[in-house]
Each structure stands twice: as structure tokens, then as C-alpha cells.
Amino acid sequence: MTEVSVIVPTLRRPDGLGRAVASLAAQTGLGDRTLEIVVVDNAPEGGAEKALLADDVAGAVSLRVVHEPRMGVATARNAGLAAARGEVIGFLDDDCTAPPDWLAARLACLEDTGADALFGPRHAVLEAEPQRDAAWFAASFTQDLGLPSGAPVDGRCDYLPLTGSLFRRACFDTGLAFDPRLDRLGGEDVLLFKSVRAAGARMVWCAEAPVLEHVPASRLDHGYIWRRRYASGQIRCLVPSLLAPPLRREIAVQMAKGAAQVALAGPLAVAGRLAGRWPPQATAIALSGLGKLGWWRKTGPRLYGEGHVG
């Protein structure tokens, strides 16, 4: 019998948490496998367990709630890892839901390929209709490499979604964990992926059973996406700088890409602004480039912890 633990970090998002846990409770086709859901409440004041009890979800599944009052995305995920008991460990964010066949499909792919870590697509569901640029917003919250199941992705660490992923426990037995230095900015997942790859793990893609990210109206804001893109540019260079030894060549390549992005997309963004509005895609590309060029300052948007946007 294989026990699977799915870690769901949460921060003051009771409705989304209830929806995420309910989707896990509805998983089918698991056979003799057992599912454990580990919710990590990252709000200092707590409250996630009470919200789940109110939704009458807690009694339907094997569910544990861990309180981690130190706010930060890496710290919360590490608390989940410490509490998880499964031989296979999965991750689902509290703004996402998994289709009923998600876990069975991903486990089958993990076993068929013999992989150590497995990733799959995340598709966006917009909970409100933006006044403009709906397709751009949907694409901004979607991660799908478009690869066939079983394709290796060890060279695509910068583009892999953590939510919906599965890892064999052996990936963490050597002490690997999420880096708290990235608690506020993010990128702790990319750093983990690169560390897992460096340890020799096989990482593959599973095209089946995409998870869904439910995007609230509060995030359908151009400024929010642009801040995310700037932060993602910083992460492209900051993460390789945190590895031991630092990947200086990768940093240099990313900075060169950043300079090209600014040179090519920057004038288009400014021209669009002069014509009436910042063009969303050109502005996003230019800001990503600026993030890569200014990563060493280690200043910029704080999207997690106290900077969390619901």
C-alpha cells in the first residue's frame, strides 16, 4: 500500500482552501493507495482548521492541519514536508483544484516512467471577466509546456509548476527543502527543482489531468502581473546565485537575455504608453528583463508572506 501526502499551504483564503481540499477528497481510482492531506496554515492568527470544519470537509478525508505562524512561502512548504508521512509527496496550492482523476493519472505516470519527480500542466480559470486583455491574463496564470507524458524536464526547471507535482520521498531524504531566503519573493520552488536535478533525480512531464488555478478579480490587474514578471526576472538570476557553487554562467546568460528584452520590448512598451496605454505583453517582457538586470539588489515586489495578494 502506498501512502500519498498532498501538502496544501494556505494564507487567509478560506473559500479557496475549502475548494482545494474538497477536490482532493473527491479523487478517484486510487485503489489500495491512501491519501493524506496536510494543510499548512501560514496565518499567525490561525483559522484554517475552523474554516474547514465549517465547510464540513475535514471529516470526509484523512486531513491534518499544521499551524506555521512564521509567514513565508518556503517556510510553510517546509512545515508541510516535516509533517507529511507519505512515500509520495504532492503539492497543491490553495487557489487551485485537482480534477477527480488527477492523482491516479499522475501516480500511474510516476510509476510507469520510474521518475523521481513529476510535473504537469496548470490551467487558469478567471473568476471575473476583465475589461480587456482576458486572453493575456489567462496565459499569464497558465503553465503548460505542451509536452507528451514521460518527456524529461530536468532542463526546464525555470518553467515547471510546483502545484500538481509529485515527488518520491527519497528526493527529500538527503535534507533538501525549500529555501526560506525566498519566503517573500518566491522562486523557492525553482531552487528546489534545480537542487533535486543536481542530486541526480529523474524529472518528467505528465500531460494528463491538468490542475486548475482559480484567479480572483483582485489578481486581474495589469500592475500585479507586471510585478510578478519583474520578480520572475529577478528569480532567474537570484536562484542560480544561491546554489553551491553558484552557477555564474547561468546568471550571465540570464542577464544577457534581460538586456535583450529591455532593448527590444522597452521601446515598444514606451511607444504604446505614449499612444495611450502600456501594452501588456511588451511591458511584461521589458519588466522581466529589468528584473534580470537588477536581481543583485535583492529588492523588488514581495508577493508572499505579508505581501500576499488574495
Side-chain angles (χ1 to χ4, degrees):
M1 180 183 296
T2 300
E3 183 171 18
V4 182
S5 298
V6 178
I7 298 169
V8 187
T10 188
L11 178 57
R12 299 176 183 141
R13 193 181 278 150
D15 293 340
L17 175 63
R19 182 173 55 197
V21 171
S23 76
L24 293 174
Q27 294 298 299
T28 60
L30 296 180
D32 62 352
R33 304 180 184 95
T34 60
L35 170 61
E36 169 195 55
I37 304 170
V38 180
V39 170
V40 182
D41 187 351
N42 201 211
E45 72 279 6
E49 187 168 15
K50 182 178 180 181
L52 289 172
L53 288 170
D55 284 346
D56 197 27
V57 175
V61 292
S62 175
L63 172 69
R64 287 189 294 141
V65 178
V66 178
H67 186 210
E68 175 48 83
R70 297 170 297 172
M71 295 176 68
V73 63
T75 296
R77 298 196 199 284
N78 285 338
L81 281 175
R85 296 179 292 217
E87 299 170 29
V88 174
I89 297 174
F91 294 90
L92 189 73
D93 290 342
D94 67 352
D95 56 358
C96 295
T97 54
D101 62 340
W102 164 72
L103 189 52
R106 299 286 172 94
L107 284 170
C109 190
L110 189 73
E111 293 167 0
D112 290 345
T113 61
D116 302 294
L118 180 142
F119 307 85
R122 184 195 75 222
H123 294 168
V125 176
L126 306 186
E127 295 189 337
E129 183 66 29
Q131 292 184 350
R132 57 176 69 181
D133 303 322
W136 177 75
F137 278 112
S140 297
F141 288 99
T142 293
Q143 283 182 282
D144 191 342
L145 301 185
L147 298 172
S149 291
V153 292
D154 51 292
R156 308 288 292 274
C157 291
D158 288 332
Y159 308 101
L160 298 174
L162 178 65
T163 192
S165 63
L166 297 180
F167 292 79
R168 296 188 190 273
R169 174 169 286 281
C171 291
F172 304 104
D173 285 344
T174 59
L176 288 181
F178 297 95
D179 195 323
R181 290 176 292 182
L182 296 169
D183 260 342
R184 303 294 181 265
L185 178 64
E188 81 297 338
D189 49 353
V190 178
L191 181 54
L192 178 76
F193 302 159
K194 290 179 182 288
S195 300
V196 168
R197 178 189 64 187
R202 289 189 59 233
M203 305 163 67
V204 303
W205 186 256
C206 179
E208 285 76 39
V211 299
L212 301 178
E213 178 174 353
H214 301 265
V215 185
S218 60
R219 292 189 173 189
L220 298 177
D221 171 74
H222 290 82
Y224 174 73
I225 301 297
W226 291 333
R227 290 192 298 275
R228 279 173 54 124
R229 291 299 296 271
Y230 182 87
S232 72
Q234 288 186 303
I235 288 166
R236 292 290 185 269
C237 294
L238 180 58
V239 163
S241 79
L242 297 176
L243 291 166
L247 302 181
R248 293 186 174 86
R249 178 181 175 84
E250 183 173 334
I251 296 170
V253 169
Q254 290 292 347
M255 292 185 71
K257 288 181 179 179
Q261 287 176 301
V262 172
L264 295 174
L268 295 176
V270 172
R273 179 66 184 91
L274 292 174
R277 66 184 290 254
W278 291 104
Q281 184 65 359
T283 304
I285 292 171
L287 286 171
S288 176
L290 286 172
K292 290 170 184 171
L293 293 176
W295 70 272
W296 49 272
R297 298 177 182 178
K298 300 181 182 178
T299 59
R302 296 298 179 257
L303 304 177
Y304 301 97
E306 294 87 351
H308 169 79
V309 175

